[in-house]
């Protein structure tokens, strides 16, 4: 085997596939040196640049040489040979490293390609992504093929591997087997284990999770916690067991407690938790004035939250709060690269790094006017540059949803003594049902609705009531959920069936119906989870759906997260899961699913 190559064995076909393991082959490395020796021209020269040096923590002046996707020199010298070189005079700009989003859920209606393409045009060029939907929906072989396809994009994509499903699954031990998790951990594109929503299981003695954490540490990969409201003692225990960072701080005191125990703390500002202003003020209150262990994240927000960009907005908020601009830029680039062990490639404008560079008009405005990603323009002088890469979603497991079964009145048997009450967008608790659920249409004078969850394979169902979702939503169906199973909500059984049928026709999606007619819909043709539309169009669809739901009595901020987290057992107090209605605090299935 050659030093820069790795063989992958595909047992189903009985063949070996040759893959490049290292980012640059030996031949390419020699060519990079030839550029410095004047034997070859760089592909791009950024002359007269004022750029942020991340380790010196100051602005410096010089010239930046780029050979294809790599910075081969940054300093006072100019190249001897520029015959094949694009030359950019940078005197009117300030250059900073491309931003890093360290905690991405790239399956929130958008798909990894459309989200990263959109994000890169406001300066975020490197992404560390959740693999949960791939784990649950596509299988390892297709998932790994998809990871290789995504490497062709101008952006840079890394991944985490989950250790648990975030819900109560039938045969979870098979889906998250030691073999499957280890295969992900060993993948070169995976640089983190977590996020660890199952930390209570770990503290209760789950040695398989502890083994995976140990394996991550052995491979030099970080482990991310998920510790909302955790005490000092809990944080310390989990630090001892191997957690390196956490993104669940909600106050300055939370940040301080985590820093005190040696964790890297990611400050969150998301559609469901827009906490950054509170956290930035909390840093001042706690006397925190060093920022090397702080990062930023938008934590998988829903599409409309990103209308003004991704990490650029968080940097601007930090600068406006009084954080020194150099520190704010480092929190969105260098600090993340160092935490994840990729500082030799990302987070700096310096020799040897990938050429991810943002061009700013002002030092204190993080929204770029031009962006380089892997040495290619993705935004130039304020105009997006067309990106031609086609990702073969269908052949890699993300096909339109094909349901070969029907939902009907037999599924609409709502006879449980209690239902699920929404406390906010994502927290739910049990409540006693006092209305008659046997009627086909419920009154709009109250906020109780029918709730039906159906196995995407048509094998089982859960039929209960939900309080607090809305008072006038007649039919609402979604194939978008934590596990990809089908959620149907509404006041009217006929409209619920109509919404389900339209969702089925679309090959997956979210559909709102009334009087038998479709009011709003979001088609999700990639496994019933993801849209194939560009972000601006998807943002418009999500905003229209949210407006229609609010007009019918939805009182919270984020209906997409409501759908996602109805099954999520890392949140209190009661959840609908593939095993049945589940009491999170007592770890008990209260009512099992019913076979159809």
């Amino acid at each position: 085997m050659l030093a820069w190559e790795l063989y992958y064995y595909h047992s189903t076909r009985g063949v070996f596939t040759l893959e490049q393991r290292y980012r640059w082959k030996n031949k390419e490395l020699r060519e990079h040196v030839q550029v410095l020796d004047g034997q070859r021209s760089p592909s791009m020269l950024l002359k007269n640049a004022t750029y942020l040096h991340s380790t010196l923590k100051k602005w410096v002046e010089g010239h930046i040489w780029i050979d294809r996707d790599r910075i081969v020199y940054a300093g006072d010298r100019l190249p001897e040979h520029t015959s094949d070189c694009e030359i950019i005079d940078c005197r009117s700009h300030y250059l900073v490293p491309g931003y890093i989003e360290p905690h991405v859920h790239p399956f929130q209606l958008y798909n990894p390609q459309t989200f990263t393409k959109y994000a890169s045009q406001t300066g975020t060029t490197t992404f560390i992504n959740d693999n949960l939907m791939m784990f649950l929906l596509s299988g390892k072989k297709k998932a790994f093929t998809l990871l290789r396809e995504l490497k062709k994009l101008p952006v840079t994509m890394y991944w985490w591997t989950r250790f648990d499903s975030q819900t109560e699954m039938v045969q979870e031990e098979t889906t998250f087997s030691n073999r499957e998790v280890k295969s992900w951990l060993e993948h070169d594109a995976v640089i983190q284990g977590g996020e660890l929503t199952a930390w209570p299981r770990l503290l209760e003695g789950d040695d398989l999770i502890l083994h995976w954490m140990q394996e991550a540490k052995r491979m030099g990969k970080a482990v991310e916690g998920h510790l909302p409201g955790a005490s000092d003692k809990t944080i310390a225990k989990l630090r001892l067991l191997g957690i390196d960072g956490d993104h669940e701080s909600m106050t300055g005191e939370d940040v301080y407690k985590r820093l005190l125990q040696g964790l890297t703390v990611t400050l969150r500002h998301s559609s469901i938790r827009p906490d950054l202003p509170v956290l930035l003020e909390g840093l001042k209150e706690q006397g925190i004035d060093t920022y090397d262990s702080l990062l930023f994240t938008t934590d998988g927000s829903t599409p409309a939250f990103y209308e003004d960009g991704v990490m650029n907005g968080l940097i601007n908020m930090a600068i406006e709060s009084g954080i020194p601009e150099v520190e704010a830029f480092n929190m969105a680039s260098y600090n993340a690269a160092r935490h994840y062990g990729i500082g030799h490639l990302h987070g700096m404008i310096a020799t040897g790094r990938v050429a991810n560079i943002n061009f700013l008009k002002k030092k204190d405005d993080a929204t770029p006017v031009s962006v380089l990603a892997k040495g290619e323009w993705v935004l130039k002088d304020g105009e997006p540059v067309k990106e031609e890469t086609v990702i073969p979603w269908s052949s890699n497991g993300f096909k339109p949803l094909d349901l070969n079964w029907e939902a009907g009145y037999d599924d609409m048997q709502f006879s449980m003594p209690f239902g699920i009450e929404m406390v906010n967008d994502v927290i739910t608790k049990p409540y006693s049902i006092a209305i008659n659920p046997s009627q086909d249409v419920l009154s709009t004078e109250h906020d109780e609705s029918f709730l039906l969850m159906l196995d995407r394979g048509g094998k089982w169902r859960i039929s209960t009531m939900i309080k607090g979702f809305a008072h006038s939503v007649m039919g609402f169906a979604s194939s978008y959920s934590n596990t990809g199973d089908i959620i149907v909500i509404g006041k009217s059984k006929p409209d619920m069936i109509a919404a389900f049928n339209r969702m089925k026709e679309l090959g997956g999606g979210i559909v709102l119906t009334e009087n038998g007619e479709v009011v709003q819909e979001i088609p999700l043709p990639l496994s019933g989870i993801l849209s194939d539309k560009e972000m601006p169009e998807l943002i418009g669809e999500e905003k229209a759906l949210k407006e229609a739901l609010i007009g019918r009595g939805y009182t919270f901020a984020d209906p997409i997260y409501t759908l996602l987290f109805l099954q999520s057992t890392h949140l209190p107090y009661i959840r609908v899961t593939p095993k049945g209605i589940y009491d999170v605090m007592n770890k008990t299935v209260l009512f099992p699913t019913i076979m159809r």
Side-chain angles (χ1 to χ4, degrees):
M1 187 182 298
L2 298 176
W4 60 84
E5 294 168 338
L6 177 70
Y7 285 96
Y8 287 96
Y9 181 69
H10 297 293
S11 59
T12 55
R13 293 183 293 166
V15 298
F16 288 91
T17 301
L18 193 63
E19 288 286 317
Q20 182 177 323
R21 184 172 195 172
Y22 303 135
R23 188 167 194 117
W24 296 288
K25 298 178 182 179
N26 286 0
K27 178 176 180 292
E28 293 172 310
L29 294 174
R30 299 294 184 191
E31 290 170 348
H32 296 160
V33 174
Q34 288 172 1
V35 174
L36 279 177
D37 286 340
Q39 299 170 20
R40 293 180 67 249
S41 169
S43 55
M44 185 179 291
L45 172 63
L46 307 180
K47 288 181 63 175
N48 307 313
T50 299
Y51 65 96
L52 177 64
H53 195 284
S54 304
T55 54
L56 294 176
K57 292 191 177 182
K58 66 180 184 180
W59 300 92
V60 298
E61 295 181 358
H63 312 294
I64 301 161
W65 311 6
I66 296 171
D67 187 26
R68 290 159 288 189
D69 65 342
R70 195 181 194 198
I71 300 170
V72 297
Y73 176 78
D76 296 334
R77 294 178 52 211
L78 285 167
E80 300 173 27
H81 183 37
T82 58
S83 59
D84 301 315
C85 182
E86 179 181 0
I87 301 175
I88 310 295
D89 193 314
C90 300
R91 262 180 279 221
S92 61
H93 296 92
Y94 299 94
L95 276 55
V96 296
Y99 311 138
I100 300 172
E101 217 320 350
H103 194 92
V104 184
H105 300 276
F107 304 103
Q108 309 294 52
L109 302 186
Y110 41 75
N111 67 63
Q113 181 183 25
T114 54
F115 174 69
T116 57
K117 175 183 176 181
Y118 180 79
S120 69
Q121 292 166 2
T122 50
T124 305
T125 54
T126 300
F127 306 83
I128 303 171
N129 300 289
D130 183 6
N131 76 334
L132 181 60
M133 289 301 178
M134 289 188 182
F135 230 129
L136 297 178
L137 299 177
S138 63
K140 179 177 65 179
K141 178 185 168 185
K142 290 181 178 178
F144 287 0
T145 302
L146 182 58
L147 263 55
R148 292 197 292 276
E149 293 289 344
L150 292 169
K151 285 176 67 176
K152 299 174 184 177
L153 299 174
V155 298
T156 303
M157 302 185 89
Y158 296 103
W159 297 84
W160 351 320
T161 181
R162 291 279 189 151
F163 295 157
D164 66 278
S165 68
Q166 200 172 279
T167 188
E168 288 297 306
M169 284 180 61
V170 178
Q171 297 182 328
E172 177 168 337
E173 66 280 0
T174 301
T175 304
F176 288 85
S177 69
N178 186 50
R179 180 176 179 178
E180 292 295 307
V181 172
K182 292 267 301 268
S183 293
W184 278 93
L185 268 178
E186 291 164 358
H187 196 286
D188 290 340
V190 173
I191 60 174
Q192 175 177 273
E195 60 185 295
L196 197 62
T197 54
W199 62 266
R201 277 169 43 193
L202 173 67
L203 292 184
E204 290 163 6
D206 190 320
D207 276 344
L208 186 55
I209 291 178
L210 185 56
H211 169 68
W212 293 332
M213 294 172 68
Q214 291 275 59
E215 283 292 283
K217 310 301 280 189
R218 180 179 65 81
M219 298 175 195
K221 302 183 179 187
V223 177
E224 177 73 2
H226 186 280
L227 312 176
S231 67
D232 297 20
K233 184 177 180 181
T234 296
I235 294 169
K237 285 182 187 177
L238 290 165
R239 179 65 177 138
L240 288 172
L241 294 173
I243 283 176
D244 299 292
D246 183 66
H247 60 284
E248 290 289 335
S249 294
M250 291 177 271
T251 65
E253 184 182 1
D254 288 343
V255 175
Y256 183 81
K257 286 193 298 186
R258 285 155 175 76
L259 290 174
L260 197 64
Q261 300 301 333
L263 294 182
T264 294
V265 179
T266 304
L267 307 181
R268 176 174 54 192
H269 191 67
S270 72
S271 57
I272 199 67
R273 294 288 327 183
D275 291 337
L276 191 56
V278 172
L279 293 171
L280 293 171
E281 187 61 33
L283 297 183
K284 298 176 188 175
E285 293 169 358
Q286 295 293 323
I288 297 170
D289 55 5
T290 56
Y291 308 97
D292 293 347
S293 294
L294 298 178
L295 319 179
F296 294 128
T297 185
T298 59
D299 196 10
S301 295
T302 42
F305 185 80
Y306 293 116
E307 276 197 288
D308 297 322
V310 183
M311 302 302 284
N312 55 307
L314 278 60
I315 300 167
N316 286 339
M317 291 171 67
I319 293 172
E320 289 165 10
S321 79
I323 289 179
E325 62 198 25
V326 170
E327 299 288 1
F329 284 114
N330 273 6
M331 289 162 73
S333 54
Y334 178 69
N335 294 2
R338 189 163 45 84
H339 175 69
Y340 287 103
I342 53 175
H344 61 298
L345 294 174
H346 302 287
M348 289 185 70
I349 297 176
T351 299
R353 273 62 176 192
V354 177
N356 297 333
I357 300 174
N358 292 332
F359 296 68
L360 312 179
K361 276 295 184 183
K362 298 188 294 183
K363 291 180 181 179
D364 59 357
D365 184 356
T367 301
V369 294
S370 297
V371 178
L372 283 175
K374 294 181 184 172
E376 297 181 29
W377 295 108
V378 296
L379 182 79
K380 192 169 185 182
D381 299 325
E383 293 297 322
V385 176
K386 189 173 182 181
E387 208 283 298
E388 303 288 351
T389 306
V390 176
I391 301 297
W393 292 104
S394 181
S395 62
N396 288 300
F398 286 85
K399 299 179 180 180
L401 199 59
D402 183 15
L403 303 182
N404 59 0
W405 49 274
E406 305 292 333
Y409 284 95
D410 287 346
D411 297 304
M412 305 278 182
Q413 307 298 317
F414 301 94
S415 57
M416 289 189 182
F418 69 85
I420 294 171
E421 181 176 0
M422 293 179 61
V423 177
N424 60 27
D425 307 65
V426 299
I427 304 298
T428 54
K429 66 180 183 180
Y431 84 100
S432 297
I433 297 171
I435 65 168
N436 177 10
S438 64
Q439 49 201 316
D440 283 356
V441 180
L442 299 176
S443 169
T444 58
E445 297 298 315
H446 59 73
D447 64 353
E448 295 180 60
S449 304
F450 301 119
L451 169 62
L452 178 65
M453 190 168 83
L454 297 154
D455 169 39
R456 70 159 42 203
K459 296 178 181 178
W460 51 259
R461 66 173 169 86
I462 299 171
S463 307
T464 185
M465 305 292 292
I466 185 167
K467 179 176 173 58
F469 181 80
H471 58 69
S472 299
V473 169
M474 306 313 288
F476 185 61
S478 174
S479 58
Y480 174 82
S481 67
N482 187 55
T483 58
D485 295 312
I486 313 301
I487 295 170
V488 189
I489 299 172
K491 293 280 189 175
S492 163
K493 293 177 183 177
D495 278 315
M496 293 169 68
I497 293 170
F500 173 88
N501 288 337
R502 177 56 181 163
M503 178 274 299
K504 182 177 173 180
E505 288 174 14
L506 292 172
I510 304 174
V511 179
L512 176 66
T513 56
E514 194 168 284
N515 299 321
E517 299 293 328
V518 174
V519 177
Q520 292 290 340
E521 64 184 27
I522 302 178
L524 301 174
L526 306 183
S527 291
I529 299 291
L530 311 177
S531 174
D532 58 0
K533 295 179 181 177
E534 296 293 338
M535 280 286 284
E537 187 174 359
L538 180 60
I539 286 170
E541 290 182 344
E542 187 214 352
K543 289 173 73 174
L545 178 68
K546 181 177 177 180
E547 184 179 338
L549 288 171
I550 290 172
R552 288 159 177 79
Y554 182 85
T555 60
F556 302 113
D558 201 329
I560 303 304
Y561 257 98
T562 295
L563 292 171
L564 181 67
F565 279 170
L566 271 175
Q567 299 163 292
S568 298
T569 54
H570 67 293
L571 296 169
Y573 293 91
I574 186 170
R575 302 282 144 180
V576 287
T577 77
K579 287 186 177 180
I581 296 181
Y582 187 76
D583 181 337
V584 175
M585 307 308 285
N586 293 309
K587 300 178 178 59
T588 304
V589 175
L590 301 174
F591 289 94
T593 53
I594 298 170
M595 300 308 291
R596 300 177 71 243

Short mmCIF file of all heavy atoms in Angstrom, two decimals, residues 523-548:
data_model
loop_
_atom_site.label_atom_id
_atom_site.label_comp_id
_atom_site.label_asym_id
_atom_site.label_seq_id
_atom_site.Cartn_x
_atom_site.Cartn_y
_atom_site.Cartn_z
N PRO A 523 -42.32 20.25 0.66
CA PRO A 523 -41.90 18.94 0.17
C PRO A 523 -40.51 18.58 0.70
O PRO A 523 -39.60 19.41 0.72
CB PRO A 523 -41.87 19.13 -1.36
CG PRO A 523 -42.71 20.33 -1.62
CD PRO A 523 -42.52 21.23 -0.43
N LEU A 524 -40.36 17.33 1.12
CA LEU A 524 -39.08 16.83 1.63
C LEU A 524 -38.76 15.51 0.91
O LEU A 524 -38.90 14.43 1.49
CB LEU A 524 -39.15 16.64 3.15
CG LEU A 524 -39.48 17.89 3.98
CD1 LEU A 524 -39.65 17.53 5.44
CD2 LEU A 524 -38.40 18.97 3.81
N PRO A 525 -38.31 15.60 -0.33
CA PRO A 525 -38.16 14.39 -1.14
C PRO A 525 -36.93 13.55 -0.81
O PRO A 525 -36.79 12.44 -1.36
CB PRO A 525 -38.07 14.95 -2.57
CG PRO A 525 -37.49 16.31 -2.40
CD PRO A 525 -38.04 16.82 -1.11
N LEU A 526 -36.04 14.03 0.05
CA LEU A 526 -34.87 13.25 0.43
C LEU A 526 -35.17 12.52 1.74
O LEU A 526 -35.03 13.06 2.83
CB LEU A 526 -33.63 14.13 0.57
CG LEU A 526 -33.29 15.02 -0.64
CD1 LEU A 526 -32.00 15.79 -0.39
CD2 LEU A 526 -33.20 14.20 -1.91
N SER A 527 -35.67 11.28 1.60
CA SER A 527 -36.03 10.41 2.73
C SER A 527 -37.14 10.97 3.60
O SER A 527 -37.32 10.53 4.74
CB SER A 527 -34.79 10.12 3.61
OG SER A 527 -33.88 9.30 2.93
N GLY A 528 -37.92 11.92 3.09
CA GLY A 528 -38.98 12.51 3.89
C GLY A 528 -38.47 13.44 4.97
O GLY A 528 -39.26 13.92 5.79
N ILE A 529 -37.17 13.72 4.97
CA ILE A 529 -36.54 14.52 6.02
C ILE A 529 -35.98 15.82 5.48
O ILE A 529 -36.04 16.86 6.13
CB ILE A 529 -35.39 13.71 6.69
CG1 ILE A 529 -35.93 12.44 7.34
CG2 ILE A 529 -34.64 14.55 7.70
CD1 ILE A 529 -36.79 12.68 8.54
N LEU A 530 -35.47 15.79 4.23
CA LEU A 530 -34.70 16.92 3.71
C LEU A 530 -35.31 17.47 2.44
O LEU A 530 -35.82 16.72 1.59
CB LEU A 530 -33.26 16.48 3.40
CG LEU A 530 -32.50 15.72 4.48
CD1 LEU A 530 -31.13 15.32 3.97
CD2 LEU A 530 -32.38 16.54 5.74
N SER A 531 -35.20 18.78 2.29
CA SER A 531 -35.57 19.45 1.06
C SER A 531 -34.40 19.41 0.08
O SER A 531 -33.24 19.36 0.48
CB SER A 531 -35.94 20.91 1.34
OG SER A 531 -36.17 21.62 0.15
N ASP A 532 -34.72 19.44 -1.22
CA ASP A 532 -33.66 19.55 -2.22
C ASP A 532 -33.59 20.97 -2.79
O ASP A 532 -32.87 21.23 -3.75
CB ASP A 532 -33.86 18.54 -3.35
CG ASP A 532 -35.21 18.69 -4.05
OD1 ASP A 532 -36.00 19.57 -3.66
OD2 ASP A 532 -35.48 17.90 -4.98
N LYS A 533 -34.32 21.91 -2.19
CA LYS A 533 -34.35 23.28 -2.68
C LYS A 533 -33.23 24.11 -2.05
O LYS A 533 -32.76 23.82 -0.95
CB LYS A 533 -35.71 23.92 -2.39
CG LYS A 533 -36.85 23.26 -3.15
CD LYS A 533 -38.19 23.90 -2.81
CE LYS A 533 -39.32 23.20 -3.57
NZ LYS A 533 -40.65 23.74 -3.21
N GLU A 534 -32.84 25.17 -2.75
CA GLU A 534 -31.84 26.08 -2.22
C GLU A 534 -32.41 26.80 -1.00
O GLU A 534 -33.61 26.98 -0.84
CB GLU A 534 -31.43 27.10 -3.28
CG GLU A 534 -30.74 26.49 -4.49
CD GLU A 534 -29.38 25.89 -4.17
OE1 GLU A 534 -28.77 26.28 -3.16
OE2 GLU A 534 -28.91 25.02 -4.94
N MET A 535 -31.51 27.24 -0.12
CA MET A 535 -31.92 27.80 1.16
C MET A 535 -32.88 28.99 1.05
O MET A 535 -33.86 29.05 1.80
CB MET A 535 -30.68 28.19 1.97
CG MET A 535 -30.03 27.02 2.68
SD MET A 535 -30.95 26.43 4.13
CE MET A 535 -30.57 27.71 5.32
N PRO A 536 -32.67 29.95 0.15
CA PRO A 536 -33.62 31.08 0.12
C PRO A 536 -35.06 30.63 -0.14
O PRO A 536 -35.99 31.16 0.50
CB PRO A 536 -33.09 31.94 -1.03
CG PRO A 536 -31.63 31.66 -1.06
CD PRO A 536 -31.52 30.19 -0.73
N GLU A 537 -35.27 29.65 -1.04
CA GLU A 537 -36.62 29.17 -1.30
C GLU A 537 -37.17 28.41 -0.10
O GLU A 537 -38.34 28.56 0.28
CB GLU A 537 -36.64 28.29 -2.54
CG GLU A 537 -38.04 27.88 -2.97
CD GLU A 537 -38.08 27.12 -4.28
OE1 GLU A 537 -37.01 26.91 -4.89
OE2 GLU A 537 -39.19 26.73 -4.69
N LEU A 538 -36.32 27.60 0.52
CA LEU A 538 -36.74 26.84 1.70
C LEU A 538 -37.09 27.77 2.85
O LEU A 538 -38.06 27.54 3.59
CB LEU A 538 -35.64 25.86 2.10
CG LEU A 538 -35.93 24.97 3.31
CD1 LEU A 538 -37.16 24.09 3.09
CD2 LEU A 538 -34.71 24.11 3.65
N ILE A 539 -36.32 28.82 3.03
CA ILE A 539 -36.61 29.81 4.07
C ILE A 539 -38.01 30.38 3.86
O ILE A 539 -38.80 30.53 4.81
CB ILE A 539 -35.54 30.92 4.08
CG1 ILE A 539 -34.24 30.38 4.69
CG2 ILE A 539 -36.03 32.14 4.86
CD1 ILE A 539 -33.05 31.32 4.53
N GLY A 540 -38.34 30.70 2.61
CA GLY A 540 -39.68 31.21 2.31
C GLY A 540 -40.77 30.21 2.66
O GLY A 540 -41.82 30.57 3.21
N GLU A 541 -40.54 28.92 2.34
CA GLU A 541 -41.53 27.89 2.66
C GLU A 541 -41.72 27.74 4.17
O GLU A 541 -42.85 27.61 4.65
CB GLU A 541 -41.10 26.56 2.05
CG GLU A 541 -41.19 26.51 0.54
CD GLU A 541 -40.80 25.15 -0.03
OE1 GLU A 541 -40.17 24.34 0.69
OE2 GLU A 541 -41.12 24.90 -1.21
N GLU A 542 -40.60 27.75 4.90
CA GLU A 542 -40.72 27.59 6.35
C GLU A 542 -41.45 28.77 6.98
O GLU A 542 -42.29 28.61 7.87
CB GLU A 542 -39.34 27.43 6.99
CG GLU A 542 -39.42 27.09 8.47
CD GLU A 542 -38.30 27.67 9.30
OE1 GLU A 542 -37.34 28.24 8.72
OE2 GLU A 542 -38.38 27.58 10.54
N LYS A 543 -41.13 29.97 6.54
CA LYS A 543 -41.79 31.17 7.09
C LYS A 543 -43.29 31.16 6.81
O LYS A 543 -44.10 31.51 7.67
CB LYS A 543 -41.14 32.42 6.51
CG LYS A 543 -39.73 32.67 7.03
CD LYS A 543 -39.03 33.81 6.32
CE LYS A 543 -39.60 35.15 6.72
NZ LYS A 543 -38.81 36.27 6.12
N ALA A 544 -43.66 30.71 5.60
CA ALA A 544 -45.09 30.65 5.25
C ALA A 544 -45.81 29.62 6.11
O ALA A 544 -46.94 29.86 6.58
CB ALA A 544 -45.25 30.32 3.77
N LEU A 545 -45.18 28.46 6.34
CA LEU A 545 -45.80 27.44 7.19
C LEU A 545 -45.94 27.93 8.62
O LEU A 545 -47.00 27.77 9.25
CB LEU A 545 -44.95 26.16 7.16
CG LEU A 545 -45.45 25.02 8.05
CD1 LEU A 545 -46.77 24.45 7.54
CD2 LEU A 545 -44.41 23.91 8.17
N LYS A 546 -44.90 28.53 9.14
CA LYS A 546 -44.94 29.03 10.52
C LYS A 546 -46.03 30.10 10.67
O LYS A 546 -46.77 30.09 11.65
CB LYS A 546 -43.56 29.60 10.89
CG LYS A 546 -43.49 30.11 12.32
CD LYS A 546 -42.09 30.60 12.64
CE LYS A 546 -42.01 31.18 14.03
NZ LYS A 546 -40.64 31.66 14.35
N GLU A 547 -46.13 31.00 9.70
CA GLU A 547 -47.16 32.04 9.75
C GLU A 547 -48.55 31.42 9.74
O GLU A 547 -49.45 31.87 10.48
CB GLU A 547 -46.98 32.97 8.56
CG GLU A 547 -47.94 34.15 8.54
CD GLU A 547 -47.71 35.07 7.36
OE1 GLU A 547 -46.59 35.05 6.80
OE2 GLU A 547 -48.65 35.79 6.98
N ALA A 548 -48.74 30.38 8.91
CA ALA A 548 -50.05 29.72 8.85
C ALA A 548 -50.38 29.03 10.17
O ALA A 548 -51.53 29.06 10.63
CB ALA A 548 -50.08 28.72 7.70
#
